[in-house]
Amino acid sequence: MEHDQLEKKFSNHFHTHYRPLCLHALHYMGSVEEAEDVVQETFVSLWDKREQLGTIQSVKAYLYTAVRNNCLTRIRDAKPTTPIDQLPPDELLTEEEQAERAEMEARIWKMIDELPERRREIFLMAKRDGMSYKEIATETGLTVKTVENHVFRAMQSLRSKDFSAYLFFFA
Amino acid sequence: MQQSDLHKTDERVRFVARHYQPDRIDSRKVWPEMCEQLGIFSKHRPNHRTFSTYWQVAAAAALLLIAGILYFMGDKTEVLVAENERSAFSLPDQTKIVMQRGAKLEYDPRFGKNERHVSMSGEITFAVTRDETKPFIVSTPVARVEVLGTEFTVKADNKEARLTVTSGKVLFTPHDPVIPLLCDAGMAVHYRADTETVEVTSPESRIAINGKEDFLLFDNIQLKEVARVLSHYYNVSIELPDNESDIRFSSSFTRKSILEIINIINLTLDTHITLSY
């Protein structure tokens, strides 16, 4: 493969899979910084093997497995004595299900990213902090109805933009 | 959807919300550092960069260096403020500018090694000296304009940015949604940050984007440009056969998924656009 084409292919894989892979890694590492680290490291080693890029049957499956392995290696190296039953319990899902989950979470992340600031704040209070609409209303000085509206619209933007694509690909 | 699916969705939303941090996990922001690391030429120039711990050692070293330089030239940033109706200036690279009253321009008089970078607000017309090796970049509070050598006018404040191109090509990138728009002579762009609306008009064509309403309009736009806008707007990769890239397309979409849009285009024009995941 020509160098230019290789770069284009690699760049496509990077932009397509970077965010889902980070979410995938987040389930193991529990920290966004570490998750991003592992994924970048994985892409660096993919680039080192770029000449084989054409021969890897499914680059996506390769990436998910590589990220998972790199996560487990890190956890083991950080705490060599972690008993096997204390590893993250995600092994219950098949690899395909894990990728599916990561892709959906990547869309949710993007949706939150794109919310107007005020709505994002309120949305995070509800979903991250588990506050009730009433508690959020008291905290922000808004009416319960307005809070409800913000959260509803945030969820709606998740459905309208990406959800049908999600259903089409993975349902 | 079934009950269990709804439950699953909610569980995932909560997982993401718990870990969410603005400006993280964004391939476009990480890509330039990735390219540097791998020795690839970066084709994406994001507005701001985020470092992950992977880069922190290098970044810390660089930061010491930058801090030193900044300290050293702290008061050397040149600031131009136009107090008169039409004030003309010449920048160090011989770029000519005309500033309307109240316009403000800031730059490092030595300019960068790889690019010529200025920040501005108000209304300024630029006649940029051509230098293919150093793009001329204008930052406004809500957008970024990138050129090689050309003539154009920017009018900008904290809420909106307007661009009109007199000659040459200009790359205009609003901060949100981040869609680099390539503008030719005769084209004008108007971006409003609060409503997330972008409008690109030329005598014979028009693109309108409304991020809040999730509305997209294309009027007589080449498919390659349509594909570029869609790929940035939906953050996906779109493949378009070379022989179809110049076909022109007109339509508008409200709250459509990227798949629906691609299906509509393919059905109307009998083209073969695909989404690569």
Side-chain angles (χ1 to χ4, degrees):
Chain A
M1 221 182 313
E2 278 183 37
H3 192 70
D4 260 16
Q5 251 186 316
L6 259 177
E7 276 185 19
K8 200 180 156 217
K9 258 212 151 98
F10 181 81
S11 149
N12 273 342
H13 287 307
F14 184 78
H15 288 293
T16 308
H17 299 302
Y18 182 75
R19 187 178 282 147
L21 285 170
C22 286
L23 267 312
H24 180 51
L26 188 57
H27 281 278
Y28 294 96
M29 307 309 297
S31 116
V32 170
E33 288 73 17
E34 287 209 64
E36 284 204 85
D37 255 17
V38 172
V39 173
Q40 288 173 19
E41 197 184 87
T42 310
F43 272 104
V44 170
S45 61
L46 178 68
W47 180 248
D48 292 339
K49 299 189 194 106
R50 61 187 174 278
E51 296 307 332
Q52 298 158 37
L53 210 53
T55 63
I56 300 175
Q57 257 208 351
S58 162
V59 175
K60 181 176 151 183
Y62 168 88
L63 283 168
Y64 276 89
T65 310
V67 164
R68 172 179 157 270
N69 290 343
N70 291 343
C71 284
L72 293 177
T73 308
R74 273 198 184 211
I75 295 169
R76 194 197 56 207
D77 289 352
K79 234 184 170 188
T81 52
T82 310
I84 207 122
D85 58 352
Q86 278 177 31
L87 285 176
D90 286 325
E91 309 299 315
L92 294 172
L93 294 176
T94 65
E95 210 142 90
E96 221 168 299
E97 285 167 334
Q98 289 193 7
E100 177 193 318
R101 177 182 62 184
E103 273 167 336
M104 183 177 175
E105 285 166 348
R107 293 193 161 80
I108 297 169
W109 184 289
K110 180 164 178 268
M111 179 279 286
I112 299 178
D113 236 2
E114 287 171 345
L115 290 177
E117 223 176 297
R118 185 80 172 142
R119 183 166 300 160
R120 180 160 67 203
E121 247 168 64
I122 291 165
F123 182 79
L124 288 177
M125 283 172 153
K127 299 293 177 185
R128 175 191 60 204
D129 310 331
M131 289 166 73
S132 71
Y133 292 165
K134 210 173 154 202
E135 284 167 331
I136 298 173
T138 320
E139 175 110 8
T140 56
L142 299 169
T143 65
V144 174
K145 190 90 204 140
T146 311
V147 170
E148 208 180 285
N149 201 20
H150 274 298
V151 177
F152 175 75
R153 278 177 188 274
M155 289 301 282
Q156 211 180 21
S157 62
L158 171 67
R159 287 203 177 126
S160 62
K161 257 192 200 160
D162 288 313
F163 217 67
S164 37
Y166 167 76
L167 288 175
F168 180 89
F169 277 106
F170 310 113
Chain B
M1 250 191 297
Q2 287 169 0
Q3 200 59 38
S4 67
D5 283 341
L6 273 174
H7 176 72
K8 232 196 276 178
T9 307
D10 193 57
E11 191 186 303
R12 288 171 186 178
V13 168
R14 284 177 195 278
F15 175 79
V16 177
R18 265 204 310 282
H19 290 282
Y20 176 79
Q21 291 171 40
D23 286 329
R24 296 303 301 251
I25 312 198
D26 186 337
S27 69
R28 276 160 225 283
K29 286 176 185 152
V30 182
W31 182 242
E33 275 83 29
M34 207 60 199
C35 288
E36 254 161 63
Q37 166 89 358
L38 305 174
I40 309 179
F41 174 64
S42 162
K43 285 163 189 100
H44 298 263
R45 290 170 180 279
N47 303 312
H48 36 257
R49 298 174 168 196
T50 323
F51 288 84
S52 88
T53 47
Y54 196 84
W55 308 97
Q56 265 173 10
V57 180
L63 211 65
L64 278 175
L65 200 68
I66 293 169
I69 294 169
L70 279 182
Y71 172 73
F72 193 62
M73 6 174 281
D75 45 6
K76 281 201 178 162
T77 300
E78 203 86 26
V79 181
L80 300 176
V81 178
E83 285 172 356
N84 301 318
E85 210 36 69
R86 287 170 62 80
S87 320
F89 292 98
S90 223
L91 298 179
D93 66 334
Q94 299 311 313
T95 288
K96 305 278 184 293
I97 59 169
V98 176
M99 302 170 76
Q100 299 300 331
R101 188 203 293 273
K104 186 177 165 194
L105 184 86
E106 282 182 62
Y107 65 97
D108 174 351
R110 292 184 300 184
F111 275 152
K113 219 176 179 178
N114 305 314
E115 51 187 45
R116 298 168 279 169
H117 193 212
V118 301
S119 318
M120 65 155 286
S121 60
E123 183 173 351
I124 305 178
T125 302
F126 296 83
V128 175
T129 308
R130 196 163 190 87
D131 184 349
E132 307 260 349
T133 60
K134 288 185 196 169
F136 190 94
I137 296 164
V138 182
S139 294
T140 87
V142 298
R144 164 190 169 107
V145 177
E146 187 173 337
V147 303
L148 294 172
T150 168
E151 216 180 306
F152 61 98
T153 302
V154 179
K155 193 175 171 186
D157 58 23
N158 290 329
K159 292 193 193 89
E160 44 190 337
R162 284 170 196 273
L163 162 78
T164 47
V165 183
T166 316
S167 73
K169 281 187 198 306
V170 179
L171 196 63
F172 179 96
T173 313
H175 286 183
D176 187 20
V178 185
I179 304 175
L181 298 155
L182 191 61
C183 307
D184 290 318
M187 289 175 93
V189 184
H190 179 201
Y191 168 63
R192 281 188 56 180
D194 56 343
T195 51
E196 292 167 28
T197 49
V198 195
E199 226 180 300
V200 187
T201 44
S202 83
E204 72 279 357
S205 70
R206 187 160 85 98
I207 300 175
I209 301 161
N210 184 328
K212 286 244 162 96
E213 302 289 319
D214 203 2
F215 168 83
L216 292 164
L217 177 145
F218 301 97
D219 184 4
N220 200 28
I221 303 291
Q222 289 187 326
L223 274 188
K224 58 182 174 207
E225 189 63 14
V226 174
R228 238 170 41 77
V229 170
L230 290 176
S231 68
H232 282 99
Y233 188 81
Y234 288 96
N235 207 2
V236 293
S237 316
I238 292 172
E239 304 272 345
L240 170 68
D242 280 343
N243 61 349
E244 295 174 358
S245 65
D246 291 337
I247 302 175
R248 288 183 177 269
F249 176 71
S250 302
S251 185
S252 69
F253 307 100
T254 310
R255 285 189 206 99
K256 288 272 187 293
S257 74
I258 179 65
L259 270 166
E260 285 174 282
I261 293 178
I262 284 178
N263 280 339
I264 290 168
I265 300 177
N266 282 339
L267 283 175
T268 6
L269 300 179
D270 193 23
T271 48
H272 306 82
I273 305 172
T274 52
L275 204 54
S276 53
Y277 262 86

